[in-house]
Amino acid sequence: MVALFLKSLIIGYSGAVMPGSMLTYTVDRSIRHGSKTGFFLSIGHALLELVLLILIFIGVGKYLATDLARLIIGLIGGIVLVYLGFEMLRDVYLNKVSLDIKDANNDRQENILLSGVILSVTNPYFIIWWSVVGLSLIMSSYNSFGIIGIIIFYIGHILSDISWFSFVSVIVSKTRHLISIKVYKIIIVILALCLIFFSVGFFFDSVKYFL
C-alpha cells in the first residue's frame, strides 16, 4: 500500500509541476489574495477529480474520451481561458490591480475554490488524462487492494496537487513585497497572455477533432 501511495504521489507531481492554466492562475491569484489561494484552488481541483474518479470507475470514462466530448470540452475550455486572460488584461488597463492583499481580497475563498473546479473541468487534457491514464491507474489500484486501493491512490494523487500549488502560492505571496506595482502589472499581462496562448491550443485541438 505504501508503494501504491508513493506511486500515485509521484505521478501526481509529474502533472502538477508542468506549466499550464492552473499554475498560471495560481500565481496571479496568489499575488492578489495571499498564501491560501493555492490550497483552495487545489481543493476545487481535487473535488472534481473525486467526481471523475467515481464516474470513470462506474464506466462513464469511455464517453469522456470520445471526439465529441473532446470537441465540446476544448471549445468551452478555450472560451474560459480567453475570458480569464482578457479579464486580467482589463484589470491592468483599468488600474484595478493592487499589491495590497486587503485591497485585492474581494474574491471569497469559495470563489477561488470554484475557479479550481472550472479551470479543471474545462481543460480537455485533464479529462483525457483521467479517461485514459487515470482509468488504468484506478483499475490497477482496485485489482491490488479493492476499494481501499482506489482511496489510497486518490489520497496520494490529490496530496501532490495540494502540496505543490500551496507551495507555489506561499512562495509567490511571501515574495510579492519585493516587486513594484509596475513590475506586478507586467507579470499580470504576461500571465494573461499565457492563458490566452493555452486557449489557442484548446481551440486548435477542438478543430482537429471536428475535422
Side-chain angles (χ1 to χ4, degrees):
M1 289 189 179
V2 174
L4 173 60
F5 174 80
L6 292 176
K7 178 182 178 181
S8 62
L9 188 69
I10 293 171
I11 291 175
Y13 275 127
S14 69
V17 301
M18 293 298 291
S21 55
M22 186 77 168
L23 181 60
T24 302
Y25 198 73
T26 298
V27 173
D28 172 56
R29 296 295 142 168
S30 296
I31 296 176
R32 301 188 188 208
H33 306 300
S35 59
K36 295 181 180 179
T37 301
F39 173 77
F40 285 103
L41 279 171
S42 56
I43 289 297
H45 179 80
L47 291 175
L48 177 64
E49 287 186 318
L50 177 60
V51 173
L52 268 181
L53 186 149
I54 294 172
L55 291 176
I56 290 172
F57 184 71
I58 63 177
V60 180
K62 59 183 178 181
Y63 299 108
L64 297 176
T66 63
D67 287 347
L68 178 60
R70 296 181 186 185
L71 170 64
I72 295 173
I73 294 171
L75 290 175
I76 295 175
I79 292 172
V80 169
L81 292 187
V82 167
Y83 170 77
L84 293 176
F86 278 102
E87 184 182 51
M88 291 162 64
L89 293 175
R90 183 197 63 186
D91 287 346
V92 172
Y93 178 75
L94 297 178
N95 202 29
K96 290 185 176 181
V97 296
S98 172
L99 285 170
D100 189 342
I101 290 180
K102 292 182 179 179
D103 291 340
N105 198 23
N106 293 323
D107 285 350
R108 295 181 299 176
Q109 293 170 343
E110 294 85 348
N111 293 336
I112 296 176
L113 189 148
L114 180 60
S115 296
V117 175
I118 294 174
L119 282 171
S120 300
V121 76
T122 55
N123 185 339
Y125 305 114
F126 170 78
I127 303 295
I128 293 170
W129 187 93
W130 272 99
S131 301
V132 181
V133 180
L135 174 60
S136 63
L137 293 172
I138 291 170
M139 298 315 298
S140 175
S141 302
Y142 181 76
N143 292 333
S144 298
F145 303 104
I147 296 297
I148 298 299
I150 295 180
I151 295 174
I152 293 173
F153 163 74
Y154 175 72
I155 293 175
H157 188 81
I158 64 170
L159 281 180
S160 65
D161 291 324
I162 293 173
S163 58
W164 170 250
F165 289 113
S166 295
F167 170 75
V168 170
S169 188
V170 169
I171 293 298
V172 170
S173 64
K174 296 304 181 183
T175 57
R176 47 185 284 280
H177 65 281
L178 300 176
I179 61 178
S180 66
I181 186 64
K182 183 177 180 180
V183 172
Y184 170 51
K185 288 181 178 180
I186 293 174
I187 293 174
I188 297 301
V189 170
I190 292 174
L191 293 175
L193 293 177
C194 285
L195 287 182
I196 295 173
F197 173 77
F198 292 138
S199 74
V200 173
F202 287 7
F203 285 132
F204 178 79
D205 286 344
S206 296
V207 171
K208 180 178 66 176
Y209 290 124
F210 177 75
L211 295 178

